[in-house]
Amino acid sequence: MTKHCYLAGIITESPEKISVWQKKYLISDGNVYSYSNMHQIEINDSIDVIYVVTPTGTHADFVLRAADTGKHVWCEKPMAMNVAECEKMINACANNRVKLNIGYRVQHEANTQTVNSYAKSSPFGKINKIEVGT
């Protein structure tokens, strides 16, 4: 949850999701896009950022396409499949003069913030190691 952002639009290839998302987030018809027309976001002043949350293997393609709209880009982690894709994504954003951010939500989760506060306040002594199950 954020105080400074909200979901203004969606890009989807799942028509059955459109009305659900529109109702839940009050998204207007003019802010609904598909992969084939997402380039039109370029002219939509109500959208500032495109957040890429597709499967990792498609991140590079969608980040490049998002950067070409002139909108800032957030990409879910992991960023890409390899270093070459990452470099293309970074260069595309730089060339389009947009910012690229990699979403790493875990740092904002309550449990992570609590553990981080323990490292600062040392209620149980100095933390030497943390192991997390997967």
Side-chain angles (χ1 to χ4, degrees), residues 47-132:
I47 296 176
D48 300 318
V49 177
I50 297 174
Y51 191 4
V52 177
V53 294
T54 57
T56 305
T58 66
H59 285 181
D61 177 49
F62 285 112
V63 167
L64 298 179
R65 293 171 65 185
D68 283 344
T69 68
K71 304 295 182 176
H72 299 296
V73 183
W74 289 347
C75 179
E76 189 57 55
K77 70 165 188 63
M79 182 175 173
M81 300 298 288
N82 55 55
V83 172
E85 284 185 356
C86 292
E87 289 173 347
K88 283 182 186 177
M89 295 159 74
I90 292 166
N91 291 334
C93 289
N95 291 339
N96 285 288
R97 294 185 176 96
V98 298
K99 294 181 181 184
L100 172 62
N101 182 49
I102 305 305
Y104 191 62
R105 62 163 175 71
V106 73
Q107 65 190 341
H108 302 290
E109 292 177 345
N111 290 341
T112 301
Q113 289 182 344
T114 298
V115 171
N116 286 340
S117 75
Y118 292 164
K120 294 176 186 172
S121 64
S122 301
F124 308 110
K126 182 181 175 190
I127 297 175
N128 296 313
K129 181 178 179 181
I130 297 176
E131 290 187 30
V132 181

Side-chain angles (χ1 to χ4, degrees), residues 8-11 22 26-33 41 44 46-47:
I10 56 171
I11 303 168
Q22 283 185 296
L26 304 176
I27 297 170
S28 70
D29 289 339
N31 288 2
V32 176
Y33 297 88
I41 292 174
N44 189 330
S46 66
I47 296 176

Side-chain angles (χ1 to χ4, degrees), residues 1-18:
M1 186 164 177
T2 179
K3 295 177 186 175
H4 306 289
C5 299
Y6 62 92
L7 186 62
I10 56 171
I11 303 168
T12 183
E13 289 299 312
S14 302
E16 69 279 3
K17 294 180 182 179
I18 294 172

